[in-house]
């Protein structure tokens, strides 16, 4: 009898953890895109389920700084090894370009190398 009660209690705790989001990290990788002077945040994204979900200011353009931040859990893994915390780049026509050795590359192609699909939604705003 005690075994059944303990089993039900354990399942209840697991269910609560899953519903609260505490059982899994919210986002292993965060991304922020700022203007070159780091005055205005132009985009934000968070990895979840194999995609980088986020928002970007609709009329953003020009030189940018792209910052990546890994969760504590992710720092102990190797999924994003080699990813630097800061990159230079540009926004042109709503598309984010990142400077890599050899030139500019779309952020979408860059993140695909880390098995992440880019999903940015445009929002209104401006500099």
């Amino acid at each position: 009898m005690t075994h059944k009660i303990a089993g039900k209690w354990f399942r209840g705790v697991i269910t609560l953890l899953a519903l609260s989001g505490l059982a899994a990290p919210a986002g292993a990788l965060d991304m922020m895109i700022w203007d070159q002077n780091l005055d205005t945040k132009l985009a934000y994204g968070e990895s979840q389920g194999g995609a980088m979900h986020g928002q970007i200011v609709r009329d953003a353009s020009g030189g940018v700084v792209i910052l990546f931040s890994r969760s504590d859990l992710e720092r102990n893994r190797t999924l994003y090894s080699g990813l630097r915390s800061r990159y230079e780049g540009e926004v042109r026509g709503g598309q984010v370009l990142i400077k890599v050795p050899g030139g500019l590359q779309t952020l979408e192609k860059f993140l695909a190398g880390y098995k992440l699909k880019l999903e940015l939604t445009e929002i209104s705003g401006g500099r």
Side-chain angles (χ1 to χ4, degrees), residues 10-54:
F10 184 71
R11 281 192 300 273
V13 168
I14 295 300
T15 301
L16 284 174
L17 284 174
L19 291 173
S20 69
L22 295 175
L29 183 67
D30 290 333
M31 175 189 71
M32 286 189 285
I33 301 176
W34 293 80
D35 69 346
Q36 278 187 313
N37 298 324
L38 300 175
D39 291 328
T40 305
K41 187 180 351 176
L42 302 172
Y44 173 81
E46 182 179 278
S47 68
Q48 197 170 40
M52 177 67 71
H53 300 279

Side-chain angles (χ1 to χ4, degrees), residues 61-123:
S61 65
V64 296
V65 175
I66 304 164
L67 303 173
F68 291 101
S69 161
R70 293 185 285 172
S71 68
D72 290 339
L73 176 66
E74 188 50 49
R75 285 188 189 107
N76 297 324
R77 294 184 180 172
T78 60
L79 183 61
Y80 303 119
S81 65
L83 181 69
R84 298 189 331 234
S85 60
R86 180 186 173 119
Y87 292 86
E88 301 295 318
E90 295 179 21
V91 177
R92 282 192 221 148
Q95 187 166 42
V96 180
L97 304 169
I98 187 168
K99 290 182 184 176
V100 294
L104 290 171
Q105 183 178 72
T106 66
L107 183 59
E108 185 173 18
K109 185 174 181 180
F110 177 81
L111 290 175
Y114 292 98
K115 298 182 173 117
L116 288 171
K117 181 180 176 185
L118 182 62
E119 297 179 0
L120 290 180
T121 303
E122 288 188 340
I123 59 170

